[in-house]
Every structure is written in C-alpha cells, then in structure tokens.
Amino acid sequence: MGILEVKNVGKRFGGLQALGDVNLSVKENSVHAIIGPNGAGKSTLLNCLVGKLIPDTGSVMFDGQSVLGRKPYEINQMGISRVFQTPEIFADLSVMENMMIPCFAKRDGAFQLNAISSIPSQKDMIERAEHMLEDMNMADKREMHAGSLSRGDKRRLEIGMCLSQEPRLLLLDEPTAGMARADTNNTIDLLKQISEERDITIAIIEHDMHVVFSLAERITVLAQGTPLVEDTPDNIKGNPKVREAYLGETQEAA
Amino acid sequence: MGLNKRDVTLLVIVAILCLFAPFILNPFPEGSAMAQFNAGYPDLMQRLVIFGIFAIGFNILFGLTGYLSFGHAAFLGVGSYAAIWMMKLLTMNVIPAIIISVLVAGLFSLLVGWISLRRSGIYFSILTLAFAQMSYSLAYSVLTPITGGETGLQPKVNDPRILDGALAEGQTPRANLFGLQMNQSYEMAVGDWVFTFNAGYYLAAIVMLIAFYISIRIFRSPFGMMLRAVKSNQQRLNYTGLNAKPYTLAAFVISGMYAGLAGGLLVAMDTQVGAERMFWTASGEVVLMTILGGAGTLIGPVLGAGFIKYMENIVSKINKSILEQWFAFMPDGIEDLLVTLVYPFIGKGWHLTLGILFMLVVIFLPGGLVEGGQRVGRLFKRKKPAGDKPDGKTTPAE
C-alpha cells in the first residue's frame, strides 16, 4: 500500500474525457513523477488530489483516508502540501510573515481567533519560521516584500512554506516551468536535498525530462487521460510507447 | 500594553490630540473673519470621533481583508435603534445603551456576513448593499412600530425606563453617564477665544481611544496577519490549510460591532434616530473616509473621517455673503467673477469639493492622506545628512 492510492479515477468536462481510468500508487518516502504530453490530464489529476476538482468516478485515498469531497484546506491539514506552477505566495506580506502563516496553520488548525496576542510574543512560531528561512538560505531576505523576490526565490519561499507544515506528501506542479537553467538546477538540488533529509513523499508533475530523470525514483507516463506505463526512470527512457507518445506530440507541434 | 514603540507613540499622539481638541480645533478668535473655520464646538467634535470609530472598524474589514462592504451604515443604524430602545425601556444612562448597541449590531452583522460572504469581490459588495437598503426600507415602512418610521424615535417623558426614578414635573429625559449629562459643557474664555469642554465629547473620545487601541492590537496579532493574507492570496491560504471564511466573517462581525458602537454613541450624544442614517450614501461615506485617509493603515481612517466631517460641517456653511466679504478688497468686476467661480464649491456644493479632493487623492496618493504625510516626512528626512539606514521603511506602512 502506498501513502497515496488513486483508483479508477475519471473526470469528464462536457464532451472531453480529461481522465479516463487512472490508477496510481505512490510509495511512502519516494519521489514519484507524473509525466505526459500537453493535455494528458496531469493537472486535472493533481487538482483531483488536492480538492480543487472532484472526480466523477473512482477513489483517492491518502494514508488510508479518502480525500474526496474534502475542501483544499482540509486536505492540506491531512498532510498534503501543494506547490503551484507559478509560485503562489502572499506577495503583499514580508518573507518572514509568509513563512509564519503556515507555521500557525500547522499549530492552530484551519481557524483560530488569535486577535489579542501579538506576533512578537509567539516566540516558538518565530523560531520555527526563522529556522525554515535558514534552511532555504533566505534568512537575509526576511524583511523583504515577498512580491519583490526573484522568480527563483519565490519558488524557494513557496517550497519552504510547504515544508514548514511538515507535510507527509508534497505535490509539485511543474516547479521549474519558465525558469532559467541555473534556477532549474538550483530547484533540482533543493528538492533532492529535501527528499534525502526529510521523511517526506514527493509527487511531481513535470514537463522537463531533465528534471524528471534527475529526481524521480518511479515515473508514471500519462497520455490522453490514462496511465500508459509506470516504471523506473531507466526503463522509461527505453520504452517505445513513451517515445511514441512524446514523438506524436512533437509532430503535432511542428 | 503589548504594543511596540512606534504604536505606543501613535496612540499617545492621538490621545493628546483628543484631549486638546477643543483648543486645536478652535485656533481663531471669536468674532474674527476666520471664526467660521473653527470646529471646536461639541456637536462637531463628537461627530469627528464617532465617525472615526466607524471608520476604524470599517478599516478592519476593508483595509485588512480587502472585502468592500457597501452596507455598513445598516449596522450603525441598528446600533442606534438598539441604543434608543435601551433609553426608552431601561435608563437614560448611556452605558447600557452603548453595550447593547454593540451586541445587537454584532448579531446582525453575523447574519448579514454569513450570507454575504458566500461571495467575494463585487458580488459581496452588492449583497451587503442590498441588505443595507432592505434594512433602510424596512425601518421606514414595515418596522414602523419598532423604528418610528419617518419620524424616527426619541425618548419621551412617559417611557417606562424601569431603572430610572420618575422624572420631576416639567423635566425632559436627558442622556447621562451616572448623572453627568452628555450635553453639559464648560466654557473657558481666554481673551477673544472661547474653548468648550463637553462631557459627551470626552466620553466619545475615550471610547474612540479604546477602539483605536483594540484595532492596533488586531492589526499586530496573528489574526490580523491572517486577514492580510486573505487579501493577498486566498488560493495560497486555502492550500496552506487555512479556512478563509471564518476569518473574513470574524473581521466582518468585528467591524459591524464597531459600527454599532458608533451608532450607540451617536444616540448617546443626540438622543434621536431616523432611518436615513442607514441610507446607502451613509455606507458610501465610510468607504470614502477609509480610502481618503488610507485603507489598511492604522491612523488613516481616523484622519479621513475627521477630514470629511470637517468639510461637511465647515465648507457647507460658507455662503455667498461670506464669499463677498472675503473678496471685498478686490475691484468690483473681479470680485463678482471670483465669487461666481468659487460659489459652486461651497455651501451645498461641498460635495463637489469633496469629490475633486477624493479624485486627486486616489490618483496621486493611492495610500491616502497617510501616504501624503509619509512623502512629506521623507522629504524632510532627505534634507538631513544621510543616516546609517538606507531607508527607514522596513515594516509595512502604518
């Protein structure tokens, strides 16, 4: 049994069958990548996992509990954190505040009317946020406006925010999309370090083969809403079906 | 008090301004040509601080979460009605009236907020506007037995008032604080100047300071940080395990209670209520106050409220003959021309002046009067030799 079990999940938008019959099992403490050409249903699948979409059929179990019908914040409280394709941070707040909010969410739950205590008096929360900023090499930027960070730093901050909740499963949606090669490599190194140092399962949706093959232990190839094959990176590289799926895409694009 | 140094300084400055308002607002001697710009009379001073409370509360919702309510006058009105009923049924002492006005407005805003917050953005604004207009219409028509309809309500001699003793013959019920009447004033004459110290004003000012202190605490609390997070990125908030709805609802109810408090104080100062204070223009006014002063800043709403109430009461009182007096030293033709040019902007035309000022502020000072103050401050700082700090601004502007 994996920590995340997706069984027979299907999702239809009007006439379009976005997901056919998806089965997926993500092993605990592994790095699992989901790849596929444009329109393969990668994002739809991810949205079904975090509560943004509810699949028409099938089940999604996280650690033995169903996530279906729960709201995104409830699923997050179960231990699933999500990193977005374009970094979603609190752009109007300082870097430090960005890091403190998930710490509070972890400690106090989905809602706490903490209107009278002051932030400086929350020593344990400050310590935790500072610690995470150091881990992310961002301690010198703590008073900066998060919106004025560089693209790469925003990504680091977002990953740090997710990690400060100590999630059991980290979902990443094309974390290096639109990044320069140097930033991409930094992100790869960061993710490698995270998966080595922490008890965490990482599921990653990615377009960039370089990223996938340097990180993943297992790869699922999705095409036209159904998993084509699931295997180790080495076997995926040589698989003719995968080549066909990707080759087909390049021909269309040309 | 759990505040940092800068906030304590701000609170102390506001307290000093409130304490000495009767002097500060009366800079011109009685009988001089400028005396009409004096604002140091009780009625106006009371309004300045009471609408300050209203705007401080509105800012907790709009400034922090970004949810723009167009119906907050309804809570002010409901608070006023609750207060006047306390005065009719219980006692003319203002304490129960003020407490009940806060509670009733809180309950009403819980209902309105619970429904309106199902939507966000423009739909939320329209829902709150609809609720406020419904409340206004109901107060005018169906609910006449409770609200007095068009005539409104005021304490009558033969009201029950179970906590007060019977009134002596020929006495009218007056709002008081344990015997201290709200309209009681002490006048101090210094040379040509007359300064008025009014009991009601000082009560309202103390309540305003408490309300201001609570608002600073909310701004600096983890709850306040969450509210700013709601405004900044709801998507990230949801995916960080936080439920935005109870946060926004709590902010809505708190700001509704502030509005109720302002409504209760209005009744404590001037014991009458009419439905017109729930009209949508009153809801719009508090939006203007908050934006004009600087939404999301601590002191901005108070400044905005003071500014608008001052304009409303002072500019609107300038009439044609006063203008003619001002320009009397000019040659005849030019005098007439100037009077004709300025006339549309004064008296009943004060809204025109306000509208132009509002446009100028929104276009050139999006952060409101507070941003204007900061720019002036920075201008002075730059003239000094460069300090060790490259820029004093490290925390978000308050």
Side-chain angles (χ1 to χ4, degrees):
Chain A
M1 271 291 274
I3 189 165
L4 182 72
E5 291 283 339
V6 177
K7 288 229 163 71
N8 307 106
V9 162
K11 179 78 192 172
R12 175 179 278 282
F13 298 111
L16 175 76
Q17 187 79 40
L19 291 178
D21 183 28
V22 177
N23 287 288
L24 181 71
S25 173
V26 178
K27 242 175 64 204
E28 191 155 9
N29 294 335
S30 68
V31 180
H32 195 122
I34 299 158
I35 62 170
N38 276 331
K42 302 185 299 283
S43 295
T44 308
L45 177 61
L46 187 81
N47 284 332
C48 287
L49 304 183
V50 294
K52 191 166 188 180
L53 291 175
I54 298 173
D56 303 329
T57 57
S59 69
V60 179
M61 304 290 277
F62 174 69
D63 199 22
Q65 278 180 299
S66 174
V67 305
L68 296 189
R70 292 183 201 245
K71 297 227 166 68
Y73 74 87
E74 292 169 321
I75 293 173
N76 175 280
Q77 290 283 358
M78 289 168 76
I80 301 181
S81 279
R82 174 181 182 177
V83 172
F84 287 80
Q85 195 170 343
T86 37
E88 292 278 356
I89 53 171
F90 302 110
D92 305 319
L93 274 59
S94 75
V95 170
M96 182 63 181
E97 284 171 324
N98 267 274
M99 203 54 102
M100 286 183 80
I101 286 170
C103 295
F104 276 107
K106 170 79 179 169
R107 190 190 71 178
D108 297 341
F111 173 69
Q112 176 93 28
L113 188 60
N114 205 347
I116 291 304
S117 82
S118 73
I119 291 173
S121 71
Q122 307 280 331
K123 296 249 160 38
D124 52 329
M125 293 286 102
I126 291 178
E127 214 168 277
R128 215 162 129 177
E130 274 174 345
H131 193 76
M132 187 48 74
L133 280 180
E134 271 160 30
D135 280 5
M136 292 290 120
N137 278 330
M138 297 186 78
D140 53 328
K141 303 190 170 80
R142 62 171 275 170
E143 295 304 331
M144 265 176 84
H145 232 229
S148 58
L149 292 174
S150 72
R151 173 74 182 241
D153 278 342
K154 279 181 185 163
R155 172 60 75 218
R156 279 183 103 74
L157 176 62
E158 192 187 24
I159 292 174
M161 287 164 72
C162 288
L163 289 181
S164 67
Q165 296 190 289
E166 292 163 12
R168 301 189 52 203
L169 173 62
L170 182 64
L171 294 174
L172 298 118
D173 187 1
E174 301 198 22
T176 62
M179 269 189 191
R181 186 46 72 178
D183 276 342
T184 302
N185 288 335
N186 284 339
T187 309
I188 293 172
D189 292 342
L190 177 65
L191 290 173
K192 259 187 192 158
Q193 191 194 342
I194 290 166
S195 77
E196 278 161 19
E197 287 174 3
R198 292 168 199 268
D199 277 343
I200 195 169
T201 314
I202 297 178
I204 179 169
I205 284 179
E206 190 49 80
H207 221 76
D208 188 331
M209 289 303 127
H210 170 60
V211 178
V212 172
F213 288 119
S214 26
L215 279 173
E217 293 155 36
R218 298 286 295 178
I219 296 176
T220 300
V221 183
L222 216 58
Q224 286 162 346
T226 39
L228 212 55
V229 58
E230 189 200 314
D231 217 325
T232 59
D234 288 338
N235 292 344
I236 291 284
K237 268 183 197 164
N239 192 310
K241 273 158 98 184
V242 178
R243 280 165 184 272
E244 195 190 321
Y246 272 88
L247 214 62
E249 191 210 6
T250 28
Q251 273 172 349
E252 272 166 43
Chain B
M1 286 201 297
L3 298 182
N4 68 30
K5 237 177 168 178
R6 277 179 56 185
D7 294 338
V8 172
T9 318
L10 184 66
L11 189 65
V12 169
I13 291 172
V14 174
I16 291 172
L17 288 178
C18 283
L19 182 64
F20 293 106
F23 296 108
I24 297 164
L25 294 174
N26 249 11
F28 308 111
E30 216 48 31
S32 70
M34 301 297 277
Q36 62 212 332
F37 290 108
N38 280 344
Y41 54 94
D43 182 54
L44 180 53
M45 287 197 297
Q46 289 164 2
R47 278 168 183 277
L48 291 180
V49 289
I50 291 173
F51 280 91
I53 294 173
F54 191 19
I56 290 171
F58 187 77
N59 189 40
I60 290 174
L61 178 69
F62 176 57
L64 289 179
T65 70
Y67 277 73
L68 177 57
S69 162
F70 262 113
H72 258 52
F75 308 127
L76 183 118
V78 166
S80 289
Y81 283 119
I84 205 108
W85 274 107
M86 281 300 109
M87 289 187 168
K88 280 166 136 350
L89 299 176
L90 273 183
T91 166
M92 286 305 288
N93 192 328
V94 296
I95 298 288
I98 291 172
I99 292 171
I100 292 294
S101 66
V102 174
L103 293 180
V104 172
L107 285 175
F108 187 54
S109 58
L110 185 65
L111 174 76
V112 174
W114 189 70
I115 297 169
S116 304
L117 285 166
R118 304 178 81 82
R119 290 282 169 270
S120 60
I122 188 77
Y123 302 101
F124 166 80
S125 302
I126 296 296
L127 279 170
T128 52
L129 177 63
F131 265 106
Q133 283 303 84
M134 277 191 310
S135 313
Y136 167 76
S137 307
L138 285 175
Y140 239 109
S141 54
V142 187
L143 294 178
T144 301
I146 307 174
T147 61
E150 274 178 64
T151 42
L153 289 176
Q154 50 257 19
K156 299 265 169 56
V157 176
N158 52 4
D159 285 331
R161 260 188 295 280
I162 49 178
L163 294 182
D164 287 358
L167 288 166
E169 195 69 30
Q171 227 183 353
T172 51
R174 286 169 194 276
N176 63 71
L177 178 71
F178 305 110
L180 175 71
Q181 283 184 9
M182 289 295 106
N183 57 2
Q184 210 161 306
S185 289
Y186 167 72
E187 290 195 349
M188 185 171 91
V190 181
D192 283 338
W193 283 268
V194 177
F195 303 112
T196 317
F197 302 90
N198 172 260
Y201 163 71
Y202 278 106
L203 174 70
I206 289 166
V207 175
M208 197 270 272
L209 286 174
I210 297 170
F212 188 51
Y213 170 70
I214 294 174
S215 128
I216 298 179
R217 292 299 300 258
I218 291 174
F219 266 66
R220 300 291 181 240
S221 71
F223 174 69
M225 182 168 74
M226 295 302 178
L227 295 184
R228 283 188 289 133
V230 169
K231 183 181 183 178
S232 184
N233 191 341
Q234 279 213 31
Q235 170 109 305
R236 178 33 81 199
L237 197 76
N238 284 331
Y239 288 96
T240 308
L242 292 158
N243 188 358
K245 177 96 189 264
Y247 280 105
T248 45
L249 184 59
F252 193 87
V253 171
I254 291 171
S255 72
M257 288 166 83
Y258 269 79
L261 176 64
L265 278 170
L266 279 178
V267 167
M269 301 305 139
D270 181 13
T271 53
Q272 54 167 341
V273 192
E276 75 286 342
R277 76 177 52 160
M278 301 166 96
F279 198 56
W280 68 269
T281 50
S283 298
E285 199 181 50
V286 74
V287 180
L288 291 192
M289 288 171 178
T290 310
I291 294 176
L292 189 69
T297 64
L298 285 170
I299 191 69
V302 185
L303 293 179
F307 190 79
I308 288 183
K309 283 291 148 190
Y310 182 83
M311 295 267 300
E312 180 186 331
N313 284 274
I314 303 298
V315 178
S316 66
K317 279 201 193 105
I318 302 171
N319 56 32
K320 204 163 193 169
S321 67
I322 293 175
L323 273 189
E324 277 162 1
Q325 251 177 19
W326 285 359
F327 299 122
F329 65 94
M330 297 273 190
D332 256 358
I334 298 179
E335 183 199 327
D336 287 346
L337 181 70
L338 280 174
V339 170
T340 323
L341 282 179
V342 178
Y343 185 66
F345 296 95
I346 52 149
K348 280 183 183 151
W350 78 274
H351 279 114
L352 191 59
T353 318
L354 179 65
I356 291 170
L357 283 172
F358 186 74
M359 275 164 48
L360 290 176
V361 165
V362 170
I363 294 169
F364 296 108
L365 295 172
L369 297 175
V370 167
E371 191 189 331
Q374 282 170 344
R375 283 198 195 173
V376 172
R378 242 173 284 157
L379 219 63
F380 279 105
K381 257 186 205 156
R382 213 170 296 157
K383 279 180 187 162
K384 285 182 194 165
D388 39 6
K389 271 189 204 166
D391 186 350
K393 239 184 96 188
T394 46
T395 45
E398 305 307 341

